[in-house]
Amino acid sequence: MRFISEQRLDDGVIEREFTLGEIPGVLWTPGSGPAPLILIGHPGGFHKRLPRVVARARHYAAEYGFAAAAIDAPGCGDRPRSAVDEQARADLRRAMQAGEPVDEILDAFIVPLVEKAVPEWRTTLDALLSLPEIGGSVGYDGMNAIGIRLAVVDPRISAAVFFGMGFVPDLLREEARRVTIPLQFLIQWDDEGNDRRTALDLFDTFGAKEKTLHANLGGHAGTPWFEVDDAARFFTRHLS
């Protein structure tokens, strides 16, 4: 892991960009440690510096003393997109504009993304846990599909907060039965791009004995900010 920049922000959080082979990422730490770590998995196709990712990470570090990290998944953010990536995105845009079913297209895009991204998250986690400022348990906060696979294959993940309205392929829905860590599941009741019943069925599928459903009125991007504090309290119970 090579750190390429470092700055102390006005809330006291130390923000450092890093590279790990081909993986670019950002680490936020509270300035005192060792701190439990939260991996923040943004939606597929977006940047590690997506404003809501940065806001959550800084809040976790400044207000609750967690370290937080985000990386760009293959074909996302600062990383180059392959011809296959570009074609999948073009097919998705075309189908959505035409009002056609998109499940098969999403399945063909998300499954390969998960299969590439999860090993990279595990490699990143290896490197982060070797740092003296990181210690204790690890949580995951973000995209369903990547989080499900990561929780199944990596025993270091102790708790998770999932944003429940994203598309999850059938393969990963089956894997959700094997997710037994404590989890908190967020849905937007009026999400314009995802089916509420499908999200509720996924919540029911998880094998966790401790799982909590938080549902709020509003569209896909309308998750209330107070849910960040609720998530932080959840992580405090399970990671501290």
Side-chain angles (χ1 to χ4, degrees):
M1 175 174 281
R2 183 170 70 92
F3 288 102
I4 57 177
S5 70
E6 178 175 328
Q7 59 177 326
R8 183 178 289 273
L9 306 176
D10 55 13
D11 52 11
V13 173
I14 299 172
E15 179 186 89
R16 288 177 287 173
E17 292 201 11
F18 63 83
T19 58
L20 183 61
E22 298 179 353
I23 308 167
V26 185
L27 173 64
W28 296 265
T29 53
S32 60
L37 175 65
I38 299 174
L39 307 178
I40 302 185
H42 55 78
F46 287 93
H47 198 282
K48 61 185 177 297
R49 284 194 173 275
L50 188 70
R52 64 177 180 265
V53 168
V54 175
R56 293 177 78 88
R58 290 183 60 174
H59 194 67
Y60 286 148
E63 300 299 328
Y64 293 91
F66 291 110
I71 63 173
D72 283 332
C76 303
D78 292 328
R79 300 181 68 174
R81 293 181 179 179
S82 68
V84 174
D85 293 333
E86 295 289 8
Q87 186 61 53
R89 287 174 169 84
D91 290 344
L92 180 59
R93 287 193 296 270
R94 178 195 54 76
M96 292 179 69
Q97 290 169 358
E100 297 172 357
V102 298
D103 283 10
E104 289 188 10
I105 298 171
L106 283 169
D107 196 281
F109 171 66
I110 291 177
V111 171
L113 174 65
V114 169
E115 291 177 346
K116 295 173 186 175
V118 168
E120 292 192 347
W121 263 123
R122 300 189 73 189
T123 298
T124 302
L125 185 53
D126 291 341
L128 291 172
L129 290 178
S130 72
L131 299 175
E133 57 268 44
I134 307 295
S137 300
V138 180
Y140 174 86
D141 176 332
M143 178 183 176
N144 280 337
I146 289 175
I148 289 169
R149 173 66 59 80
L150 192 59
V152 168
V153 301
D154 199 313
R156 294 172 294 183
I157 306 299
S158 299
V161 172
F162 291 134
F163 292 91
M165 298 304 288
F167 178 81
V168 177
D170 289 342
L171 171 66
L172 291 159
R173 286 181 173 273
E174 285 302 311
E175 291 186 16
R177 301 180 189 280
R178 297 162 54 197
V179 175
T180 57
I181 59 174
L183 63 87
Q184 191 160 288
F185 193 73
L186 307 180
I187 69 170
Q188 287 299 104
W189 205 247
D190 309 300
D191 191 306
E192 60 278 9
N194 295 282
D195 179 66
R196 181 194 308 160
R197 182 70 260 170
T198 301
L200 293 173
D201 287 345
L202 176 60
F203 175 76
D204 197 42
T205 298
F206 284 111
K209 292 182 179 179
E210 180 184 337
K211 54 183 178 180
T212 305
L213 174 68
H214 287 203
N216 292 283
L217 298 177
H220 185 73
T223 303
W225 179 253
F226 63 73
E227 289 289 1
V228 180
D229 285 309
D230 281 345
R233 288 190 287 270
F234 167 82
F235 284 127
T236 297
R237 291 197 302 274
H238 295 290
L239 304 186
S240 297

